[in-house]
Amino acid sequence: MTLPDTATNPAGADRTFQVDLRGLVDLLSHHLYSSPRVYLRELMQNSVDALTARRALEPAAPADAFGVRLYADGSVVRVEDDGVGLSETDVHTFLATIGRSSKRTEQIAEQRGDFIGQFGIGLLSCFLVADEIHVLSRSARTPDEWRGRGDGSYTVRTLPASAVPRPGTTVTLTPRADAGEWTRPAQVHALARHFGSLLRHPVTFDDGTGRPGDPTASVNPDPAPWTRTYPTPGARSRALAAYGENVFGFTPLDTIELDLPAVGLKGIACVLPEAVPAGRRHGHRVHVKGMLLSEQAEEILPDWAFFVRCVVDAESLRPTASRESLYEDDTLAAVRDALAERLRAWIARAAASDPDLLARFLQAHHLAVKSLAVHDDEILRMLLPWLPFETTDGHTTLDEFARTHRTVLVTSSVEEFRQVAAIASAAGLGVVHGAGLGVVNGGYTYDRELVHRLPEIRPGATVADLDPETLTAHLDPVDRETELAAAAYLAQARDALAVFDCDVALRTFQPASAPALLVDSREARHERTRSQLAREQEGGLWGDILGALRQEAPRAQLILNQLNPLVRTAVTIDEPELARTSAEALYGQAAMLSRRPLRPAESSLINRSFLDLLAHALRKDS
């Protein structure tokens, strides 16, 4: 910053900031704009806004009277428009003063909402690729020439009327040597099509080869597909799907038309044909008044809508200063809610009239629908017959599972489900004494919440969390005499497994080939670990903290199967050491079948019990 001379600015007088233009351009390139390529978007945007302003002054002019012409031959880049133009006063006021915009003049202030740009800094983006900007402009009065340089200086000349015969503006850039990546003719044409394919004013491109009639010279030859008329609804659907495939590179499972007249928004949502990782949000292509604003606008849709990618063009959405994302305001929030409602309506229509489409959709995107159903009663009621879950009856819908199981147990983790799945599917839990008990895997995202909401939708259903007590209570007990005969063995087994905070019970369940079932939740293990730490740290600061958090630690349960021949033999063992070893071996085998990670002490126990049993067998044979 340069301070004014004190002779002309006495103490206490107002002073004016002096801007270091090179420093400002460096700031724009590193912190405001994502890439130097935005220079062309900014130039096109200024041209389109100038055309909009002139259209407001001359509303009776033919629709194709005004346009934008691009030229790039490798040595210069030129953007010419038939817009409202600038006078010399406008040049000094707007082009040479950072932060002002020619779109704020009193004459067109009431149409400000019709303009794409709002911040008056777009022209500076040209300094990302050039050291000098040359502007020829004619307003309704006189033509003027403005030359701005990267060192912060500029010149203005008033030219004879013959120099610029009609209103409009021409901006010419002489690219720097290191800017060739963004200013080659092919690249300029590609960028123009990328940013301006949906612009409402005609935009053409010339590479200096003398082929102005070449059909590829048009930047925006076709209007947006949703603005066209088609002979049949089927033809319209196919055209929209083809456009989505061209834009995104995949064939949509379906296309959803989006139309919000209140904010002038139109476009399509393309349903992805394959599942996406949970929580991953795709960017959406957002145009504002035809100009591409962003390809990665995540904020246009809610988080749960990661099964679609959108292309929209809006009139009333507000861009940020960089014009590469949307400003978070009440309008954007209302648009997000309205688009979410459109997606809900599409799901409802598919459920009501196109079950094949809905089935294909849910096969790929059931996780997204479950995330919506957790918080949306209408979607839950609508799609309950279709939502898939992993259960002890296999993969089935929650509605179908509830028809055959009046009592539904739900696990809190995949691990817990796997501990009981094999036994439950063999009829040990699937149907118990006619009670219709079944287990659902609640370890996947949203599943446990949805299962617990089942009674809201199906009042006759009963849902409870699976815990060792519940599971043991629903396994068949052994008779009194068998229990008494096995009491001594069970006591020795409990003593051997006390180090793992594990209780031992004797029950009967299918399949008979399973000797034991280990029921131990992740939460129970965490609580026991915390209790152990509290005991080890007793008396210290951490011991006091952990002790305050300590609850009654839930115990694991090793449930022995009386129907299994090996267990029936084991409970008759009267040799204490062999009884302990057999109990440890049964615990180790059940722990491995649960498919959870083994603790070091458990791995050691499995090895030790195997060797002890082997040694016992060898001694017996000898």
Side-chain angles (χ1 to χ4, degrees):
M1 182 187 303
T2 303
L3 296 177
D5 190 280
T6 56
T8 57
N9 291 275
D14 288 342
R15 300 171 185 266
T16 302
F17 284 100
Q18 305 298 309
V19 176
D20 179 350
L21 188 59
R22 289 191 183 278
L24 181 58
V25 170
D26 182 71
L27 181 68
L28 294 177
S29 64
H30 288 92
H31 300 286
L32 184 63
Y33 295 125
S34 62
S35 165
R37 69 177 185 165
V38 300
Y39 83 93
L40 189 64
R41 184 197 66 194
E42 296 294 332
L43 289 177
M44 294 172 62
Q45 180 172 286
N46 286 343
S47 292
V48 170
D49 285 343
L51 294 177
T52 302
R54 187 171 181 189
R55 174 65 65 184
L57 297 175
E58 303 178 40
D64 58 352
F66 310 133
V68 180
R69 294 167 294 282
L70 308 179
Y71 177 88
D73 63 3
S75 60
V76 299
V77 175
R78 187 164 61 242
V79 179
E80 179 182 349
D81 66 66
D82 303 313
V84 70
L86 299 170
S87 67
E88 181 177 354
T89 302
D90 294 334
V91 167
H92 285 295
T93 303
F94 301 117
L95 294 188
T97 304
I98 305 304
R100 292 187 185 173
S101 172
S102 60
K103 297 173 283 293
R104 295 179 185 173
T105 58
E106 293 180 2
Q107 296 94 326
I108 58 174
E110 65 274 13
Q111 287 95 21
R112 184 174 182 227
D114 295 332
F115 300 107
I116 304 170
Q118 303 284 334
F119 296 92
I121 59 174
L123 193 63
L124 291 181
S125 66
C126 295
F127 287 121
L128 300 177
V129 297
D131 287 327
E132 183 175 282
I133 306 171
H134 181 208
V135 179
L136 281 176
S137 185
R138 175 173 181 161
S139 70
R141 296 181 296 277
T142 58
D144 295 283
E145 177 190 56
W146 179 89
R147 287 181 183 269
R149 303 175 187 87
D151 61 5
S153 63
Y154 72 95
T155 58
V156 177
R157 289 193 303 155
T158 298
L159 304 175
S162 59
V164 186
R166 59 183 181 180
T169 300
T170 300
V171 180
T172 303
L173 309 180
T174 302
R176 292 195 305 270
D178 62 354
E181 177 184 358
W182 308 110
T183 57
R184 291 192 303 269
Q187 181 71 295
V188 171
H189 190 201
L191 289 176
R193 298 203 64 158
H194 177 73
F195 290 119
S197 63
L198 298 185
L199 288 173
R200 291 81 182 268
H201 299 283
V203 182
T204 58
F205 174 78
D206 181 6
D207 62 2
T209 59
R211 296 178 296 171
D214 189 335
T216 63
S218 179
V219 168
N220 53 343
D222 300 312
W226 47 82
T227 64
R228 305 176 211 165
T229 57
Y230 300 89
T232 64
R236 183 178 184 85
S237 296
R238 288 190 293 273
L240 295 179
Y243 179 78
E245 182 173 2
N246 181 61
V247 170
F248 294 124
F250 63 83
T251 302
L253 189 65
D254 197 14
T255 55
I256 308 165
E257 283 208 60
L258 306 174
D259 187 4
L260 303 178
V263 293
L265 183 146
K266 290 180 178 292
I268 57 172
C270 298
V271 182
L272 290 158
E274 297 178 351
V276 295
R280 177 182 174 184
R281 299 183 65 186
H282 280 294
H284 307 288
R285 291 176 65 93
V286 175
H287 299 252
V288 174
K289 303 176 180 68
M291 182 68 74
L292 179 64
L293 182 78
S294 174
E295 297 175 273
Q296 299 296 327
E298 297 180 353
E299 62 272 19
I300 196 73
L301 287 179
D303 292 348
W304 55 260
F306 53 80
F307 57 87
V308 296
R309 295 195 69 183
C310 295
V311 185
V312 299
D313 186 19
E315 297 287 336
S316 301
L317 293 178
R318 180 182 172 190
T320 59
S322 67
R323 289 185 283 277
E324 295 187 317
S325 59
L326 295 171
Y327 188 83
E328 189 69 46
D329 57 12
D330 292 343
T331 299
L332 179 57
V335 166
R336 186 163 48 238
D337 291 343
L339 293 180
E341 187 57 36
R342 296 294 187 276
L343 299 184
R344 288 190 184 95
W346 174 82
I347 294 174
R349 288 195 303 272
S353 61
D354 197 339
D356 290 338
L357 172 63
L358 184 67
R360 285 184 283 124
F361 168 67
L362 288 179
Q363 183 178 8
H365 301 294
H366 61 273
L367 183 60
V369 177
K370 286 179 178 181
S371 71
L372 176 59
V374 166
H375 306 291
D376 193 314
D377 292 347
E378 181 181 354
I379 292 295
L380 183 67
R381 291 188 179 92
M382 186 189 314
L383 296 181
L384 187 63
W386 301 88
L387 292 175
F389 290 82
E390 185 179 10
T391 76
T392 49
D393 289 350
H395 283 84
T396 184
T397 65
L398 189 58
D399 185 65
E400 183 65 28
F401 194 68
R403 292 179 190 275
T404 55
H405 302 287
R406 293 195 306 273
T407 301
V408 176
L409 296 177
V410 57
T411 66
S412 60
S413 68
V414 175
E415 174 189 307
E416 289 180 6
F417 179 80
R418 288 172 175 171
Q419 290 177 16
V420 302
I423 293 172
S425 61
L429 294 177
V431 178
V432 179
H433 298 313
L437 180 78
V439 181
V440 178
N441 187 350
Y444 297 116
T445 306
Y446 308 118
D447 283 15
R448 186 165 175 265
E449 296 172 82
L450 287 173
V451 174
H452 273 288
R453 294 195 61 196
L454 178 62
E456 301 174 29
I457 311 304
R458 185 176 289 279
T462 300
V463 177
D465 287 322
L466 178 68
D467 55 43
E469 291 75 17
T470 303
L471 178 60
T472 305
H474 284 87
L475 296 178
D476 290 338
V478 297
D479 59 69
R480 179 71 173 171
E481 292 182 1
T482 302
E483 183 81 29
L484 290 174
Y489 178 85
L490 295 177
Q492 294 179 32
R494 293 185 185 108
D495 182 64
L497 302 178
V499 66
F500 298 112
D501 288 317
C502 182
D503 195 9
V504 183
L506 186 63
R507 297 288 188 272
T508 63
F509 54 85
Q510 295 292 335
S513 58
L517 169 66
L518 180 62
V519 182
D520 188 16
S521 69
R522 184 182 304 172
E523 290 76 11
R525 292 198 303 276
H526 287 174
E527 179 59 36
R528 291 197 300 273
T529 300
R530 187 167 58 189
S531 298
Q532 178 63 30
L533 286 173
R535 288 193 296 269
E536 293 174 357
Q537 299 287 339
E538 189 171 354
L541 175 61
W542 283 110
D544 294 339
I545 295 174
L546 294 171
L549 296 174
R550 185 169 54 197
Q551 305 172 3
E552 184 65 29
R555 307 190 74 191
Q557 277 199 334
L558 179 66
I559 304 173
L560 304 181
N561 186 6
Q562 176 63 19
L563 298 180
N564 181 266
L566 178 62
V567 171
R568 288 200 300 270
T569 300
V571 297
T572 63
I573 297 174
D574 55 9
E575 184 180 336
E577 285 302 318
L578 182 58
R580 292 176 62 89
T581 299
S582 65
E584 291 174 344
L586 289 169
Y587 175 91
Q589 189 261 357
M592 288 190 294
L593 289 179
S594 71
R595 292 191 285 182
R596 63 167 172 80
L598 295 176
R599 291 173 287 180
E602 291 173 330
S603 298
S604 176
L605 174 140
I606 291 171
N607 291 331
R608 185 179 68 253
S609 61
F610 170 76
L611 294 175
D612 287 349
L613 288 175
L614 181 60
H616 181 272
L618 293 175
R619 286 197 302 272
K620 184 177 179 181
D621 290 341
S622 61

